[in-house]
Structure formats: C-alpha cells, structure tokens
Amino acid sequence: MKPISIKDLLTSEPDGREVTVLGWVRTKRDSKNLVFIQVNDGSCFASIQLTFDRNSPANGADANNIEESLKDVTTGASVKATGSLVASPASGQAVEVTLKTLTVLGKCPTDSYPLQKKNMSMEYLRENAHLRARTNTFGAMFRLRSRMAFALHTFFQERGFVYVNTPEITCSDAEGAGEMFQVTTLSLEKIAELAAKAGAKGMDPAKAASIVDYSKDFFGKKASLTVSGQLEAETLATALGKVYTFGPTFRAENSNTPRHLSEFWMCEPEMAFYDLFDDMDLEEEFLKYLLNFALTDCEEDLAFFEKRIQPGVIKQIQHVVETPFKRISYTDAVKELEGNNAKFEYPIEWGRELQTEHERYLTETVFKSPVMVYNYPKDVKAFYMKQNDDGKTVRAVDVLVPGLGEITGGSEREENYEKLLKVCEERKMDMSNYQWYLDLRRFGSVPHSGFGLGFARLLRYITGMANIRDVIPYPRAPRLADF
C-alpha cells in the first residue's frame, strides 16, 4: 500500500479507511491496556498518533505480532504501521490511527542514540549535525529553508528574471578583500619544501611566494572559490536584461562568531538599465515578499520559532512587511548618529563603515522602521560601484531591518570604462583577471544595478535563531567541517 505523508493524513477525513504510516518514533507511552506512539515523517511539524488497545476484540491474530514489535519501538526507531484512520478523542489532534500491523524497520538503541539526551544544547546538536534534522527545531528550520528558497525563485520568475548559474571557481575577487579559499592541484608538500629552501637562503617571505609556478597548475593561473557571483552575473544581465543567481559562495575569513560562515548561499540579482533607486525599489519589494511568504506559508513552523526560539519574531516580521522603508543618505545617517556617540561602543564619524549597533539604532530607535542607507563613502565600498559627482561617494545602498541590522546590500555599477579602469588602477588590482569585466563597459555599456542577499542571514532573521550555523544543514566555519 502506497504511504501517505503524515501532513496529508492529519488533514484527512477520519473515515475509517486503512492507511500506511512510515516514519520515525518520537515517543511511546505504554499503559496497562493502551499504547500510544507518536510518529513523525518530516513532512510537517506535527506527528500522528498510533494507538493499540490490548483489550480490543478487533486485534485478532496480529495482536501478538504488534506486541513483539513494541519491544523494539523506541525514540528514533523507524516503523511501518497500518491501521484505520479514525477521529481522535485527544485534544490537539483531529485524527489518529488504530493499529492493525506494526513493523520496526530500523531499531534505535536508547543507550547510544545521541538524541535520547534531554535538554540538548545547540552546540551539542551541531556536533551531531547528521541527526539534528530529526529534532523539532531543525525539522522546522529546514522545511522553512526549503519554502523560502521556493519563494525566492517564485519572486524573480514571476517578474521575468532569468535564473543563471555563475562559477564557483574564479580568478577574480569580487569583494577585493582577498579572503578566498585557493583551489589548486599543485603539491602542497612540494611548495612547502621550496618555501623552506627559500627561507633557508634568507629570501623575503613575500618573494618566496613567487616561486610557485601557477602556469603548471590545473587552470594555468591562481584560482579560488568565489566570494560572489555578481561580476559574472553582470555579463549575463547585459545580454538578458534581468538575471539572478542563487548558489553557494565561500569566504576564508577567520571569524569564529555566531554571524559568520565560511560557506553560505547568496542570491544576487543584476538588472540592466536600473539605476540606484530602481534597485532600492526592487530590494524593498523583494524583502516584503519573502517575509510575507514566511508569515502566510510557514505558519506552523514559524509558530514554533515564536514559542520556543524568539518570542516576538512574528510581530517583528509583520512590522517590516507593513512599514514603508525609510530612505536616508549615509551623510544624513552619520549626522543622526554622531549626536549619540556616547551610547556606542564604536563612535561613528563620516568616512567609517556603520557598525551593527549603529544600524540597529537607526532602525529601532530613530526611525522605528526598516532603513535604506545610500551614497556611501567610496573608500569603504567595492571597486565596481558607480561614483557620484561629488567625487567622495558611490551609489551604494544597505538595507537595515530592526533586530538585525544590514540584511541586503547593493549598488548601481560603474558603467563608464575610463572611470572603472582608473579605480582598478588606484587599487592596484591585477588587471589580467578583469579585462573581461572591463569589456562590458567597452561594448554596449548600459547603466545597471544589483544587490545581494545572504540566504542564511534572511533565515536567521525569520526564525530568530541566535547562531547562523543553525540555519544551514552542514555549517562550515573555522575548524568546523566534520561532516
């Protein structure tokens, strides 16, 4: 008999028909005559209850087989059960299944099952990442993650965007920070041996690095894992109009904090013929769409996060959905903050990046709304951002939300060849890796804009999870890559 998901069973009519339940045991209660088994298959937050009445005359010959199977029914065991779908007299559930047959497919010893432990910490569950999806918290997390990925694609597909896949291996650094994981087939042992010999000869360490002959490497030059698909997405936007990427990116930043990952998913739309304010309009529409989708489509799982993880998270999300985003220039934002520098751990002045405490002060205290800060100093932003006529600022924007700070960041891209080349030269960039990018400005250049959304950051905001490592199935961070 084909199994039906527990999600569908729980919304079915209790008409007495025979059904098959497949899943993992959450709990078993065994009294003198009655046995209650809660089974979950991951399709929804709720479990379905299986009941067995030892005194029921309907049990027949199968009663002995059920009794034998019950000996192996423990938390975590996988089972196959058949029975009648009937109305449940218990509160909080509409239906239950009265057992006719019960088979334990996979035993789960209680003395060694890691999730048998009570009051498990997030750190403990992180150490058992291969099993943590079976808990209520992470089952809800990964179902919600799936639905939000669907919502992301739906938003762009409904608006005529083309989904593109940009390379994960690259020779260019979109962020210019140099914090990239290198990809090589060269022998690390051989490189270490050459470096040791160079050091023994008194060679400067910086010069010693030049002994590596990347022409013999797999790609013929130094290559790394990408920190962003933006630059490549621009090539496609200037041919297809509106595109978006959604995939993994990597950053070798040695930050062991609850806000950093070394591998994370980014969504990066790029739009030809969009200026900065078109870009800002799309960012606001996009974020409101995603958060509203979470409220309306993920109610059951979101209710769990509201109750058990961060009370008030639903109200916070609703506030962002219902409130117009305030738009303010970086210069005006700094003026607003400078008068309150005594309240900050990091005092602010014009020319410095805003810290999280500044961003939250603007959203939670000053404006009590999401805030879009635009026109940042050029020296704190990436090389590709379009310069304003003042010569000091670029057309960049960060979107800030209450309770978090920055959630997306974007800009209008510099479309003028000479201006972009000058910035690259001022920053002493290796132009051999960026000629193709400059070509976009030589051949049919157009104004264009885009932004980036860290998917894990969005999920952390929606769920209220304190650590970003708990919104991705297998977190990668400094000294954390066990699975």
Side-chain angles (χ1 to χ4, degrees), residues 315-335:
K315 185 178 180 181
Q316 179 174 265
I317 295 170
Q318 288 172 333
H319 175 64
V320 175
V321 171
E322 297 166 0
T323 307
F325 288 18
K326 173 69 177 178
R327 301 185 180 189
I328 183 173
S329 71
Y330 167 88
T331 298
D332 288 341
V334 169
K335 288 178 182 177

Side-chain angles (χ1 to χ4, degrees), residues 421-452:
L421 178 60
K422 182 180 178 182
V423 172
C424 292
E425 291 173 342
E426 288 174 349
R427 300 193 181 199
K428 296 180 172 55
M429 296 168 58
D430 180 359
M431 298 313 299
S432 65
N433 293 326
Y434 296 92
Q435 284 301 324
W436 60 270
Y437 188 67
L438 287 167
D439 274 354
L440 301 180
R441 280 72 181 169
R442 294 175 60 208
F443 308 123
S445 184
V446 297
H448 59 289
S449 301
F451 64 87

Side-chain angles (χ1 to χ4, degrees), residues 166-172 180-184 218-219 221-228 232 248 250:
T166 52
E168 293 177 30
I169 299 175
T170 181
C171 295
S172 57
M180 303 176 75
F181 289 103
Q182 191 172 339
V183 177
T184 182
F218 188 89
F219 294 105
K221 59 169 63 177
K222 188 174 182 179
S224 303
L225 295 178
T226 187
V227 298
S228 169
E232 292 85 356
F250 308 85

